[in-house]
Amino acid sequence: LLQSGLIPPEEIPYKYKNEIHANEIVLLAYYIAAINIEAVYDDIAKENQYQPFNGMVLTDTFHLYEQERDMIADLLPDNSNRRTAPKERDIRVIVANPPYSGGQRSANDNLANIAYPNLDGRIQATYAASSSATNRQDLYDSYVRAIRWASDRVGDEGVIGFVTNAGWVDGNAMDGLRKHLRDEFS
C-alpha cells in the first residue's frame, strides 16, 4: 500500500502513523511484517530517523470482534491498547492473505477450527442460509470467514483485496457466498 502510489507522498507520514493497521497472530510473521513495513516507510519518507510502526498488532483478527480483551492483554498491554484503534475507525480498504483451514479430517489431526460465535453466526445467517448445499462445513473455513468479516467491516462502502484459493468460485457449498458477494458489492 505504501509503495503503490495510491497515497499522495505528502499524506504518507500521517497514514503510516495513524491510519494503516496490520494484524498477525504468528509471532515470527508479526515481526517480519513490522520490519518490512518500517523499512518501506523509511525508504519512502527519507526522514533519516527511525519511525516505529505502531499499527502492528499481535492478535487474531476475528477475535478482535468476539471479545474486548484477548488472552495476552495482561502480558502485552501496549499491544492490547493498539487493538482498539482499528475497531474505532471507519475502515474502507482491507487487503489480506487470509489463512486456509478447512478443519481437521480426523480426531487425530488436532487441527479443529477455532469457534467464532459472532462471525459464525453471520455466516449462518447469510452464506449458509442462502446455500442449497447440504454440507456447509466449508463455509466455516478461515478464508470464507475472512470474506464475511471483511464484508461486514467495510459496510456499504469499501474495497476488499484477498489472496484466496478458487474454491468459492464454483464450489457447491459456496453458492450462498457467491449470492451475497453479488448482492453486497457492485
Side-chain angles (χ1 to χ4, degrees), residues 14-21 55 65 82-92 153-154:
Y14 181 82
K15 298 281 187 190
Y16 176 80
K17 294 172 186 168
N18 299 289
E19 293 184 350
I20 296 176
H21 307 281
Y65 298 89
R82 286 195 311 267
R83 292 175 83 238
T84 60
K87 288 173 67 173
E88 296 170 353
R89 298 213 184 271
D90 181 19
I91 293 182
R92 301 285 174 96
R153 187 64 178 93
V154 299

Side-chain angles (χ1 to χ4, degrees), residues 109-127:
D109 287 349
N110 215 14
L111 294 171
N113 281 340
I114 297 170
Y116 302 100
N118 296 334
L119 181 57
D120 291 347
R122 286 289 296 141
I123 290 171
Q124 175 62 38
T126 56
Y127 305 159

